[in-house]
Amino acid sequence: MAKPYPYFVSLNEAISLCQKTSIDIESETIPISQSINRIVSSDIKAKVNDPGFDNSAMDGFAVVHSDTTSPPSQLSIIGSSMAGSTESHTLSSGQAIRIMTGAPIPQGADSIIPIEDCTVTGDKVTINKPSKPHFIRKLGENFAQNQTIFSSGETMSPEKIALCAAAGISTITVFKKLKIAVISTGDELKSLDDDLEHGQIYESNSYGLAALVEIYGHEVTRFSNVIDDIDILRDTLNEASKTHDCIITSGGVSMGDKDFVRILMEQEGDIKFWRVKMRPGSPPIFGMWENTPIFGLPGNPVSSHVVFRAIVGKWLTSLTKSKDVNNKFTHAILDEDIKTQEGFTTFRRVELFESNGITHARLKGHQGSGNIAGIAMSDGLTVIEPAAKGRKGERCKIILL
Ligand code: AMP
Ligand code: MG
């Protein structure tokens, strides 16, 4: 019987169906020191020029270039300009001023000769090579005062935090973190402080999923494991939806009799799609529970991780119109045939290696979707598009892990 919602959709359809569901996210102003992974929500303008003054890129001497074009040439040392010095210096033809990296350029100088190209004797310096005008870092060459250094949607990185500080910016306006609930389901799951009995396993998905939520700049609550009981699951989803902006579950979305996330969503939720043509990770469900977006991820550890990267992360970045900086990718030549299924997007675990200056990818470890060790030790995931065959020698996109 046809399902009353999109069933077994392509990965692209899944991504675009998710994007029809949006959440308004407020902004807040925070210190740059606490901004790693946060997403900028309004343009940031530099308060100062960088550099704020012409300065030296080398330790050496500031000189007049035309004095040095027929080496060796001898100049008189008339002073020193140190980094941080607020004193101003002037020189003219025939003179040199000792200068350190970052120190202001004396008036009259137009180039720098590095110390290694000089011989100093008393108050004279012999310049053994022509001096270099490009060793002067010019006022404003990196960015100018009032220039927009980045725009809404940028994810803060260590480099961008340093750029803010260089631009004199101590606080920035970012999107508030979404509150995301991560809920694991399964009778077999035990917490790390429990002893395992035969048939039980440590619950691990919530840890990986929580870390993924955090690298996407949001706040996570890891709920206690929920046993396979529809009433307890309903209560937990109700509680999570009251206090969170989004719910991510793992387990219980396949065809089994105890797959209660799927059963509950079918009976009482609003399903936007169920099942996606991807390997691994075909069981996910997406919809609304009490007006809260809910992603039901598969229980298999590799699948839950891959589905987060392929679908949930894409949705999160679409909410803030950001680039998905956590799914960095490269391209590599496949070193062997990769098993694919027609119409499916295939994410296999690979290691990368270089041969003749070209990056190649080969399968790494056992490819079972239950094998978290395989993905944890691999360098990346293939992204073999539904129409591609994944044959040895083909160029393939690889998501870097
Ligand atoms: P399910 O999707 O509930 O059928 O689970 C599929 C497989 O994933 C089973 O082998 C489960 O034991 C395993 N699994 C489910 N949830 C978790 C979890 N939170 N951590 C580790 N493994 C899990
Ligand atoms: Mg289960």
Side-chain angles (χ1 to χ4, degrees):
M1 204 179 72
K3 306 265 185 228
Y5 45 77
Y7 177 68
F8 233 139
V9 297
S10 71
L11 179 57
N12 281 342
E13 280 174 90
I15 292 168
S16 57
L17 285 167
C18 290
Q19 289 179 2
K20 289 188 179 156
T21 298
S22 191
I23 301 181
D24 286 333
I25 314 182
E26 289 171 17
S27 290
E28 61 182 339
T29 298
I30 58 166
I32 57 165
S33 56
Q34 288 164 27
S35 69
I36 187 71
N37 293 338
R38 300 297 298 273
I39 301 151
V40 171
S41 64
S42 59
D43 293 358
I44 297 177
K45 289 185 193 300
K47 287 196 175 154
V48 294
N49 293 307
D50 184 75
F53 49 92
D54 289 0
N55 69 81
S56 179
M58 299 298 246
D59 295 326
F61 287 89
V63 295
V64 177
H65 181 63
S66 56
D67 284 350
T68 68
T69 46
S70 321
S73 43
Q74 206 183 51
L75 304 174
S76 305
I77 305 172
I78 59 155
S80 300
S81 178
M82 299 292 162
S85 150
T86 49
E87 211 183 320
S88 54
H89 295 273
T90 306
L91 63 67
S92 44
S93 178
Q95 298 178 326
I97 288 184
R98 198 184 287 273
I99 197 162
M100 302 302 140
T101 304
I105 301 296
Q107 256 184 13
D110 62 2
S111 56
I112 302 294
I113 180 83
I115 193 74
E116 33 305 15
D117 298 329
C118 305
T119 316
V120 177
T121 327
D123 62 356
K124 300 280 181 223
V125 56
T126 304
I127 313 289
N128 300 317
K129 284 187 183 169
S131 62
K132 300 278 176 25
H134 67 262
F135 285 155
I136 295 180
R137 305 191 285 212
K138 294 285 192 192
L139 183 145
E141 73 178 13
N142 298 339
F143 53 80
Q145 193 174 27
N146 286 326
Q147 185 180 324
T148 300
I149 50 173
F150 32 80
S151 306
S152 176
E154 294 282 350
T155 300
M156 292 303 287
S157 63
E159 295 74 18
K160 286 175 193 147
I161 292 173
L163 169 57
C164 282
I169 293 154
S170 57
T171 59
I172 57 171
T173 305
V174 295
F175 287 105
K176 278 193 173 168
K177 291 184 181 186
L178 291 176
K179 291 190 169 63
I180 301 185
V182 171
I183 302 170
S184 294
T185 70
D187 284 339
E188 71 282 28
L189 306 177
K190 289 285 152 189
S191 303
L192 292 177
D193 41 13
D194 290 335
D195 290 328
L196 297 184
E197 286 177 32
H198 183 67
Q200 300 178 332
I201 59 169
Y202 286 124
E203 189 285 306
S204 60
N205 290 349
S206 72
Y207 289 92
L209 295 172
L212 281 163
V213 168
E214 282 178 356
I215 64 172
Y216 276 84
H218 298 291
E219 187 179 312
V220 67
T221 314
R222 280 182 42 252
F223 277 59
S224 304
N225 311 331
V226 175
I227 57 167
D228 290 321
D229 177 297
I230 197 163
D231 296 318
I232 296 178
L233 179 64
R234 183 190 301 105
D235 288 348
T236 310
L237 295 187
N238 284 342
E239 183 197 330
S241 67
K242 284 197 192 91
T243 43
H244 292 78
D245 302 303
C246 168
I247 302 172
I248 298 174
T249 62
S250 83
V253 286
S254 299
M255 324 290 264
D257 295 344
K258 286 197 144 199
D259 284 335
F260 286 123
V261 175
R262 189 255 313 158
I263 294 167
L264 195 57
M265 282 298 288
E266 284 191 311
Q267 292 175 357
E268 302 172 32
D270 173 12
I271 298 179
K272 306 289 186 193
F273 65 80
W274 177 36
R275 306 197 74 191
V276 181
K277 289 183 181 153
M278 59 188 288
R279 291 277 185 253
S282 63
I285 201 163
F286 172 67
M288 300 298 279
W289 181 267
E290 297 290 327
N291 287 322
T292 306
I294 175 168
F295 290 88
L297 305 191
N300 273 313
V302 176
S303 306
S304 68
H305 197 98
V306 170
V307 172
F308 188 107
R309 286 189 175 270
I311 299 178
V312 186
K314 291 271 173 299
W315 179 72
L316 289 172
T317 52
S318 76
L319 296 176
T320 51
K321 299 191 172 51
S322 319
K323 223 171 43 186
D324 187 359
V325 294
N326 297 302
N327 270 349
K328 292 217 164 53
F329 61 85
T330 185
H331 285 88
I333 303 296
L334 295 177
D335 199 48
E336 57 193 301
D337 288 349
I338 305 263
K339 192 172 153 224
T340 56
Q341 186 173 346
E342 208 186 320
F344 283 60
T345 308
T346 308
F347 298 90
R348 297 282 173 222
R349 277 68 77 205
V350 291
E351 69 178 342
L352 300 174
F353 64 98
E354 225 176 87
S355 169
N356 296 328
I358 294 169
T359 307
H360 291 247
R362 66 180 157 228
L363 293 173
K364 172 79 176 176
H366 178 257
Q367 295 287 314
S369 58
N371 187 347
I372 193 70
I375 189 169
M377 285 164 199
S378 64
D379 297 324
L381 297 168
T382 63
V383 186
I384 302 175
E385 297 296 341
K389 295 265 186 282
R391 292 276 178 264
K392 181 176 177 171
E394 274 176 20
R395 186 170 180 268
C396 179
K397 181 173 168 179
I398 310 281
I399 293 175
L400 296 170
L401 293 173

